Amino acid sequence: MILNLEPKFGIEIKEKWKVIPTMIKNLEFGIGAVQLNDCNNEEKDIVKNNLRSKTINVISNYYNKNDRLNHKVLIKNLYITRKFLKERPDLIVARADKGNTTVIMLKTEYETEMRKMLNDKVTYKLLKKDPTNKWQKVANGLVNKLVVAKIVEEQQGKHLKAKYTVAPRIYGLRKTHKETCCLRPVVSCVNSPSYNLARFLHEILTPVIEKFQYNVKNSFDFVTFSEKVSLPKNYVLISLDVVSLFTNVRRDLILKVIEETWDNMKHLVKIPKSVLVDLITFCYDSSYFVYQGEFYAQMESSSMGNPASPVIANIVMNYVIDQILKILPFGIHFLKLYVDDTIAAIPESEVNNILELFNSFDNNIQFTMEVEKDDSLSFLDVLVKRSNDKLITDWFVKPISSGRLLNWNSNHPRSQKIGMIKGLLDRMTKLSSKDFYEVNFNKIRNILLNNNYEMPLVDSVINKFKENLNNKTRSLVNSNNNNIRYCRFPYMAELSNKLNRVFIGTHVRLAFYNILRVNSIYSKLKDPVNKQQQTGIVYKIPCSCDLCYIGQTRQYLSNRVKQHIYDCKNINILKANKTALATHHFDQHHNFEFDKIEILDKEMNWWKRNVSEMIFIKTNDTVNKRTDTNNLIILYNDILKEYKSNRKK
């Protein structure tokens, strides 16, 4: 069944000609990124046109010779599954909260749980209207203050400004490790009013958390620490986990922490305390979202999905732990923290008391506890084991893990799949004591076999890895790649790698992604952004004749349409430099059908969006001026004619 595959499993595009516009805009971006510092403008044009000629030859040969599909059964199953789900709107398919698993649940069950969560009057408040414009103005006011106070440069201020924002979207992920139906709320804040300032706040506070004595950066950092630990007798390992940390870090608590610890952090924070407080307050005040067309404020807490939430939570957790340790009536041998996961060694006699002590500090910050079993305890993806007075570690796969990795049958480059195996082996050996290597090599073999990797290939990679490991040449990073510029490009078997070879000799490489993935048939849990609020798009407006107008805009589509409608008013008939749309309207006395506007492409990158606009002007019967495509190299004409003819079939 197609849903057994991991969400990012790549599937070939059946109608390959549809990818042509995407290929060209990404190739143009890659070619434009090629640095030719020692060449004059004429020489640069020659080199870049030479690159274009080579890529066009590769693409033309591919389309002339390649009309077969490598995985017809997969493609067929995808369309069958998509049709089935379309006929069953009562079902929801989504990824689970943890474990890289896929869940299927009744839509009514999902919506009931979401409503139950949002009806919590202590945490959420229903708003009367969309506050997006309000918070966008507040955000930009704060940015202006940062610029005036010379805390940020004017150019950085422009990047921090909130423009054409949309309301954050909330959705729930099923917690499959819970016996009852339970959802983890996630708020997608991308392009929301607070997003840029929240990222700025994250950057400002990151140096602070890097200095905390309890923090570990990752599993590797913890393993390095554990190698130095000598555990006293009668001490046991425990782990503590905070219940719903982000939604329980209250505004008053983080502001209290800033006030009390400012002297320790001010040399690491590059802004005054008053500005820091303003930014934190703004992030909390502007914590809102939309669900099924209704807007909610999140009261006094931060959301999972806000870029500032992890760093704020980390600061609070370190403060909470520091305060608790000061009042504990016994000593803790060590304690390490990663966001909301804590591991510690405490006297065995205090196991029954410590949870109550931790939970008594703050009513909102509540912990659950696990005690070592059979001298072992898991922390992150490490199994920590006691060996006499020492700690040894083993690579740990959580029981809820689906075991799904990059599948061998996925539409990805072979090199990426081999790289994934090497990365998995490298991670395992860095997290495991040598005594566990062989067991884990077999575990990895089984995982890879379950993901359709063939045993001879797996054994070959593992044996080569072992050889390098014994020779201590385990580095996976090529230091010569530091200056490489990677540009996104859709992966198409038998084409993409050949195109990548064209860029050999430059510092540009293509980074492949799949246009069609299994998760394309997953349910859309977030409220969709309506067409009029779309930004960064190429659009098509049909005329009452058979022609159309192609345009592109970074602003809201509704704003751009209003401008077009205004341009067509009679008061502008004598206006100089009219758009092609207005010129056609006045010269031919035709009316454009603004209610039938179509979005052809969504692209936030300005360069790519302009190339995309020119491509669609070339491949549609338009009223646009000839000069609108002057910057699109004529070398692409034949490929675009092929695209246009296929689209009209």
Side-chain angles (χ1 to χ4, degrees):
M1 186 178 178
I2 203 79
L3 295 178
N4 282 334
L5 301 170
E6 65 148 346
K8 295 181 180 180
F9 185 102
I11 297 177
E12 286 183 281
I13 297 289
K14 187 176 181 180
E15 296 170 305
K16 297 182 180 182
W17 58 269
K18 288 185 176 180
V19 189
I20 288 175
T22 304
M23 284 197 299
I24 292 176
K25 74 174 181 181
N26 283 289
L27 279 174
E28 273 299 295
F29 184 74
I31 292 169
V34 173
Q35 292 181 353
L36 300 165
N37 297 328
D38 298 328
C39 300
N40 58 40
N41 290 337
E42 185 178 347
E43 290 170 335
K44 288 179 181 179
D45 288 341
I46 292 172
V47 172
K48 292 187 177 184
N49 280 332
N50 186 39
L51 284 173
R52 289 186 181 98
S53 296
K54 290 179 179 178
T55 58
I56 290 167
N57 284 336
V58 172
I59 294 171
S60 297
N61 289 336
Y62 172 79
Y63 277 98
N64 289 334
K65 298 177 182 178
N66 195 307
D67 58 355
R68 66 186 179 88
L69 296 171
N70 294 321
H71 296 289
K72 292 183 179 179
V73 175
L74 278 173
I75 297 171
K76 181 180 178 181
N77 285 341
L78 179 75
Y79 285 99
I80 290 172
T81 307
R82 177 179 284 158
K83 181 182 178 184
F84 169 78
L85 292 174
K86 191 173 182 179
E87 293 170 350
R88 291 295 306 272
D90 58 319
L91 296 179
I92 278 181
V93 179
R95 65 183 177 91
D97 172 41
K98 295 179 180 178
N100 194 25
T101 56
T102 303
V103 295
I104 302 175
M105 58 191 298
L106 291 172
K107 187 175 183 179
T108 53
E109 185 182 26
Y110 174 83
E111 292 181 348
T112 298
E113 287 302 312
M114 287 295 292
R115 286 295 173 189
K116 186 191 298 183
M117 181 170 57
L118 296 177
N119 286 336
D120 176 3
K121 306 298 183 185
V122 175
T123 307
Y124 305 108
K125 177 185 176 182
L126 182 63
L127 301 175
K128 293 181 180 179
K129 62 179 183 178
D130 181 359
T132 301
N133 289 338
K134 167 190 169 183
W135 291 121
Q136 181 169 303
K137 290 177 182 177
V138 174
N140 291 337
L142 271 174
V143 173
N144 289 336
K145 288 181 180 179
L146 293 174
V147 173
V148 170
K150 299 189 183 302
I151 293 170
V152 300
E153 298 290 336
E154 189 171 340
Q155 189 62 34
Q156 186 181 4
K158 290 180 180 179
H159 290 298
L160 287 175
K161 285 282 183 76
K163 300 173 185 175
Y164 311 116
T165 57
V166 295
R169 265 72 178 155
I170 192 173
Y171 59 99
L173 296 178
R174 178 73 178 263
K175 297 182 180 181
T176 53
H177 56 290
K178 303 288 185 181
E179 292 184 3
T180 58
C181 180
C182 187
L183 301 177
R184 181 184 298 279
V186 181
V187 179
S188 175
C189 296
V190 177
N191 201 31
S192 68
S194 64
Y195 186 70
N196 291 342
L197 280 177
R199 289 182 64 185
F200 176 70
L201 181 59
H202 176 89
E203 293 171 6
I204 288 293
L205 292 177
T206 294
V208 176
I209 65 174
E210 288 176 347
K211 296 294 182 180
F212 286 145
Q213 60 174 318
Y214 306 119
N215 269 25
V216 288
K217 296 178 182 177
N218 47 43
S219 302
F220 306 122
D221 193 20
F222 174 75
V223 168
T224 301
F225 163 79
S226 69
E227 292 170 351
K228 304 171 186 175
V229 172
S230 179
L231 207 60
K233 288 184 178 180
N234 301 320
Y235 269 68
V236 295
L237 299 173
I238 66 164
S239 65
L240 295 161
D241 185 26
V242 181
V243 179
S244 302
L245 175 61
F246 289 176
T247 53
N248 284 302
V249 175
R250 317 293 285 185
R251 178 208 311 252
D252 57 350
L253 180 56
I254 180 60
L255 294 181
K256 175 185 176 183
V257 173
I258 297 297
E259 182 65 35
E260 293 187 13
T261 62
W262 180 250
D263 287 342
N264 295 328
M265 69 167 65
K266 62 183 179 182
H267 67 287
L268 298 169
V269 179
K270 297 179 181 179
I271 59 177
K273 182 173 71 172
S274 60
V275 176
L276 177 61
V277 169
D278 286 346
L279 289 172
I280 292 173
T281 301
F282 168 71
C283 284
Y284 274 81
D285 286 344
S286 61
S287 188
Y288 76 104
F289 53 80
V290 61
Y291 177 70
Q292 293 188 343
E294 294 181 321
F295 296 87
Y296 294 82
Q298 189 160 332
M299 309 295 290
E300 299 301 321
S301 62
S302 186
S303 62
M304 182 176 176
N306 186 305
S309 291
V311 69
I312 288 174
N314 208 311
I315 289 172
V316 167
M317 279 296 296
N318 273 272
Y319 172 83
V320 168
I321 287 173
D322 196 46
Q323 296 302 307
I324 291 173
L325 294 187
K326 287 178 181 178
I327 61 174
L328 283 183
F330 53 86
I332 286 185
H333 187 61
F334 78 82
L335 183 147
K336 286 297 175 183
L337 168 72
Y338 183 81
V339 190
D340 60 346
D341 290 328
T342 306
I343 186 170
I346 68 169
E348 188 173 8
S349 59
E350 300 297 337
V351 168
N352 295 327
N353 303 321
I354 193 165
L355 183 61
E356 183 180 351
L357 290 168
F358 267 74
N359 284 338
S360 64
F361 181 79
D362 187 289
N363 290 333
N364 294 306
I365 309 294
Q366 295 295 291
F367 296 81
T368 59
M369 186 179 76
E370 186 178 345
V371 184
E372 67 171 76
K373 185 177 180 181
D374 298 327
D375 296 331
S376 300
L377 183 70
S378 63
F379 177 64
L380 304 179
D381 58 342
V382 178
L383 187 64
V384 187
K385 300 186 178 186
R386 295 157 54 96
S387 178
N388 298 321
D389 63 338
K390 299 295 183 183
L391 295 181
I392 57 175
T393 58
D394 189 11
W395 174 54
F396 179 67
V397 179
K398 293 182 179 180
I400 62 171
S401 172
S402 66
R404 298 191 302 193
L405 301 173
L406 176 58
N407 196 289
W408 181 257
N409 292 326
S410 180
N411 187 48
H412 283 80
R414 186 178 189 275
S415 59
Q416 189 172 341
K417 296 166 185 174
I418 301 298
M420 187 275 296
I421 300 175
K422 292 178 179 178
L424 190 62
L425 293 168
D426 189 64
R427 185 173 189 86
M428 180 275 288
T429 52
K430 286 179 178 177
L431 297 181
S432 304
S433 300
K434 290 183 178 180
D435 293 344
F436 305 115
Y437 280 6
E438 283 305 319
V439 172
N440 288 333
F441 281 134
N442 288 328
K443 188 187 296 184
I444 288 174
R445 281 190 183 93
N446 290 330
I447 291 173
L448 293 171
L449 285 174
N450 289 334
N451 285 274
N452 294 315
Y453 286 75
E454 295 182 356
M455 184 59 79
L457 171 71
V458 172
D459 283 340
S460 173
V461 177
I462 290 177
N463 291 335
K464 182 66 175 176
F465 183 86
K466 286 180 179 180
E467 183 182 331
N468 291 338
L469 193 63
N470 293 331
N471 295 331
K472 297 183 179 180
T473 57
R474 63 187 289 169
S475 175
L476 298 178
V477 180
N478 186 344
S479 59
N480 295 324
N481 287 343
N482 292 338
N483 296 321
I484 294 294
R485 172 80 178 271
Y486 289 96
C487 301
R488 278 167 53 85
F489 191 84
Y491 181 72
M492 300 179 74
E494 301 178 31
L495 169 65
S496 299
N497 286 327
K498 291 179 181 178
L499 286 174
N500 220 355
R501 286 196 284 272
V502 172
F503 287 91
I504 292 175
T506 75
H507 77 299
V508 171
R509 295 292 181 273
L510 303 180
F512 301 126
Y513 70 97
N514 272 289
I515 290 178
L516 183 60
R517 303 189 298 190
V518 165
N519 61 8
S520 66
I521 61 174
Y522 282 16
S523 305
K524 305 297 185 283
L525 301 181
K526 294 183 287 186
D527 278 34
V529 178
N530 69 57
K531 184 189 291 186
Q532 296 303 317
Q533 278 193 303
Q534 294 284 351
T535 62
I537 56 170
V538 178
Y539 59 90
K540 172 182 175 180
I541 305 176
C543 181
S544 53
C545 62
D546 290 334
L547 302 179
C548 66
Y549 173 80
I550 304 293
Q552 64 88 13
T553 183
R554 169 66 179 88
Q555 57 186 310
Y556 293 130
L557 177 59
S558 59
N559 289 7
R560 190 70 187 106
V561 169
K562 287 176 184 176
Q563 292 164 5
H564 283 310
I565 292 174
Y566 177 77
D567 287 342
C568 291
K569 290 184 179 294
N570 288 334
I571 58 172
N572 294 311
I573 193 169
L574 299 178
K575 180 182 176 182
N577 299 320
K578 292 192 289 290
T579 64
L581 181 146
T583 300
H584 183 78
H585 167 73
F586 289 122
D587 290 353
Q588 304 299 324
H589 305 291
H590 289 174
N591 293 318
F592 282 87
E593 299 170 322
F594 293 106
D595 58 330
K596 295 181 180 179
I597 194 166
E598 179 184 350
I599 294 176
L600 302 175
D601 189 20
K602 186 168 178 64
E603 177 58 69
M604 296 307 294
N605 181 280
W606 177 84
W607 184 319
K608 293 183 184 181
R609 192 167 65 248
N610 275 277
V611 173
S612 183
E613 179 192 30
M614 290 187 283
I615 289 170
F616 285 107
I617 291 173
K618 279 274 191 183
T619 55
N620 283 272
D621 299 323
T622 73
V623 302
N624 293 74
K625 300 172 184 176
R626 289 187 178 182
T627 54
D628 289 344
T629 60
N630 278 354
N631 292 324
L632 186 64
I633 306 300
I634 60 173
L635 293 171
Y636 294 116
N637 282 358
D638 289 342
I639 295 177
L640 292 177
K641 285 178 183 177
E642 182 72 18
Y643 169 76
K644 186 175 181 179
S645 64
N646 274 288
R647 199 188 65 229
K648 288 186 174 182
K649 287 179 182 178

